[in-house]
Amino acid sequence: MAGINVHKMLHSLILGCLISPVWAAPVQVQNVRIWAAPDSTRVVFDLSGPVQHEVTVAGDPDRVVVDIEGALTPTNSSQPEGHDRFLRHVNTVPFDLGARFVLDLKKTAVAKSFQLGPNQHYGHRLVLDLGDVQDEQSADEPVAPTAPTSDERRDIIIAVDAGHGGDDPGARGPKGTWEKNITLQMARVLAAKINAEPGMRAVLTREGDYFLPLRKRMDMARRHKADLFVSIHADAFRDRRVQGSSVYVLSDRGASSEHARWLAEQENASDLIGGVSLDVEDDVLASVLLDLSQTASLEASIDVAERVLQGLRKIGRLHKHRVESAGFMVLKSPDIPSILVEAAYISNPDEEAKLRSPPHQQKIAEAILSGLRGYFTARAPEGTTLAAIRRHVIGRGDTLSGIAQQYRVSLDTLRQANRINGDQIRVGQVLTIPSAGDG
Ligand SMILES: [Zn+2]
């Protein structure tokens, strides 16, 4: 076996097994599910109960062996799709002590495994995450930003976050619509609209149906130097009559309403549903630090949230007429203003139908965009293309020639830039002020 590099990654011991009878009915591996993300692949083994398992990573050829002690092999096993970066094939092989899975890899990978207890959607699970070797060390290193040169103006970057994904499906509508699919569709529509705006560019945190830990979503926004983080969700409630859109900002002082608190618990549970191995102590410390640095962007978050809420008010019913605050973990991106949009109630049959309708998805995205546009028009970050576009809101007593003088542009240039023929202007009208060199 020379040349084969074998190391044990994780060996989990379930204490319950020590006291429960060893000869109890064997655990059944009911299904094997595979979720391929751009930089990782998750394999989920659905189990009839907790197990003892062992994961071994081997090289030459690259593969991962998963032994599940005393378990029966499944009748169902998915195979990876062609675009999977890590997994080539899943083999179920006979094994004296239980079920053995040999995962043929396309490349060398690191493997992490952990078990999850039942939740509202799934039973016991053994989760195996495959990732790039170098990701282990470089995960916390920020990517060096490409700094614009002094005369180069950059686009405003908006991180559009489709809630949930993969084995975290989110809420479910009465017709069986999963929140994770709606959020991805709406995120794509919103991103396309943002990309069609001059001076704005969208970055999608999730681009397919896979699980993405909340922290990774924030890291992506930070790595892309996003100016704003918008997380898209669809609300759900036991009472199917409840409906309307809501917009949330993060609060470190507790939730603004009972429902906000309940909702934050549901959404934060995403990492528990999807499963992520967190170092608990590190996490508490990190969230305290994040809370402290969040204060600076909270005011900005409220501003943009109010504008988005105004936009949504025009297309339908609001659940609450004020911006709500709650302790959403996904919003804890220091220094990046962040909002969470619950587009509608997927649990309400009418709103479920609307959420599925492409024309209505367009309307929701347009409403959100109108809020973003208003916010960035008023508060374009320095150095951006949008900041270079000056605007003047006509007040009482303003004249076209007076405005031209004020901004040191010619009257004709001002007329041309705003397609005005005479001198007629009205209060509240927004004029684009061309830079002195234009025209
Ligand atoms: Zn959600």
Side-chain angles (χ1 to χ4, degrees):
M1 301 287 276
I4 294 179
N5 168 26
V6 178
H7 36 223
K8 286 177 185 173
M9 291 307 292
L10 232 161
H11 189 188
S12 90
L13 245 178
I14 301 300
L15 284 173
C17 292
L18 299 177
I19 44 172
S20 63
V22 175
W23 309 115
V27 169
Q28 175 73 48
V29 181
Q30 293 153 331
N31 197 6
V32 181
R33 294 177 287 130
I34 300 163
W35 307 97
D39 58 355
S40 62
T41 290
R42 169 165 285 189
V43 184
V44 181
F45 300 88
D46 288 307
L47 307 166
S48 62
V51 292
Q52 290 189 46
H53 77 281
E54 192 165 359
V55 174
T56 312
V57 179
D60 199 18
D62 287 311
R63 61 189 191 274
V64 174
V65 178
V66 181
D67 287 336
I68 304 179
E69 279 182 36
L72 300 172
T73 52
T75 46
N76 250 333
S77 175
S78 319
Q79 287 300 335
E81 290 175 35
H83 69 267
D84 197 306
R85 280 188 56 226
F86 295 93
L87 214 49
R88 190 186 304 284
H89 197 261
V90 177
N91 308 288
T92 310
V93 295
F95 174 51
D96 301 348
L97 302 171
R100 168 169 284 178
F101 298 88
V102 178
L103 281 51
D104 291 336
L105 304 185
K106 290 179 178 171
K107 57 189 285 195
T108 310
V110 288
K112 280 182 192 162
S113 70
F114 53 96
Q115 289 187 45
L116 294 168
N119 65 27
Q120 70 179 115
H121 302 306
Y122 297 111
H124 288 274
R125 285 152 293 160
L126 166 62
V127 178
L128 179 82
D129 283 334
L130 301 171
D132 277 315
V133 178
Q134 65 271 26
D135 263 11
E136 283 282 283
Q137 290 91 36
S138 64
D140 294 327
E141 286 169 29
V143 169
T146 45
T149 55
S150 55
D151 58 339
E152 203 183 318
R153 294 194 171 271
R154 66 170 183 87
D155 285 341
I156 283 168
I157 309 289
I158 298 165
V160 180
D161 176 56
H164 311 277
D167 52 334
D168 163 28
R172 191 183 162 127
K175 284 240 165 70
T177 314
W178 286 114
E179 181 184 356
K180 65 171 181 179
N181 297 331
I182 294 297
T183 59
L184 184 59
Q185 288 163 14
M186 286 198 304
R188 283 181 174 148
V189 174
L190 177 60
K193 285 190 186 293
I194 288 169
N195 288 333
E197 282 289 294
M200 286 194 195
R201 191 158 62 80
V203 173
L204 284 170
T205 56
R206 176 163 78 85
E207 295 189 78
D209 185 15
Y210 48 82
F211 175 72
L212 201 58
L214 297 177
R215 186 133 309 186
K216 207 153 188 180
R217 297 169 190 260
M218 302 177 219
D219 287 346
M220 278 182 74
R222 231 172 274 138
R223 228 174 300 165
H224 284 97
K225 309 210 101 199
D227 298 287
L228 181 70
F229 183 88
V230 183
S231 192
I232 312 276
H233 288 256
D235 220 329
F237 201 60
R238 289 182 296 273
D239 185 344
R240 287 185 174 186
R241 290 167 301 181
V242 176
Q243 55 177 311
S245 316
S246 322
V247 182
Y248 288 85
V249 294
L250 180 77
S251 165
D252 50 358
R253 295 202 191 90
S256 62
S257 70
E258 187 58 39
H259 179 69
R261 184 171 18 249
W262 179 83
L263 189 69
E265 278 167 19
Q266 302 294 307
E267 302 290 16
N268 289 349
S270 181
D271 269 0
L272 302 175
I273 294 165
V276 66
S277 44
L278 292 175
D279 184 324
V280 176
E281 259 177 284
D282 264 11
D283 205 54
V284 170
L285 177 67
S287 64
V288 168
L289 294 175
L290 288 169
D291 276 344
L292 288 174
S293 47
Q294 174 70 31
T295 325
S297 52
L298 184 59
E299 187 224 350
S301 301
I302 292 171
D303 185 355
V304 67
E306 276 171 352
R307 291 170 193 268
V308 168
L309 200 66
Q310 292 304 324
L312 290 167
R313 188 194 305 273
K314 288 177 196 144
I315 61 156
R317 186 190 285 260
L318 296 182
H319 180 64
K320 279 271 168 66
H321 288 268
R322 291 181 309 126
V323 168
E324 292 210 74
S325 49
F328 291 115
M329 187 171 156
V330 73
L331 298 183
K332 290 185 181 178
S333 286
D335 308 325
I336 304 178
S338 308
I339 61 169
L340 188 143
V341 179
E342 297 278 359
Y345 275 81
I346 201 168
S347 49
N348 177 284
D350 290 344
E351 294 204 338
E352 181 190 27
K354 280 183 175 173
L355 286 169
R356 293 167 67 119
S357 139
H360 196 80
Q361 289 178 354
Q362 292 281 342
K363 271 191 187 174
I364 293 172
E366 189 53 56
I368 296 171
L369 179 66
S370 74
L372 307 187
R373 199 189 285 130
Y375 171 78
F376 282 115
T377 302
R379 294 191 183 216
E382 246 179 86
T384 59
T385 323
L386 228 58
I389 302 170
R390 292 176 297 170
R391 284 180 172 85
H392 181 95
V393 182
I394 309 277
R396 236 166 264 284
D398 270 347
T399 62
L400 209 55
S401 57
I403 295 164
Q405 228 164 30
Q406 184 187 335
Y407 291 97
R408 296 166 196 273
V409 293
S410 77
L411 195 54
D412 275 349
T413 312
L414 190 59
R415 281 201 187 103
Q416 272 169 26
N418 294 280
R419 298 196 187 102
I420 298 171
N421 282 325
D423 289 312
Q424 280 276 310
I425 49 173
R426 56 188 160 73
V427 173
Q429 188 180 354
V430 182
L431 295 186
T432 301
I433 310 297
S435 59
D438 288 359

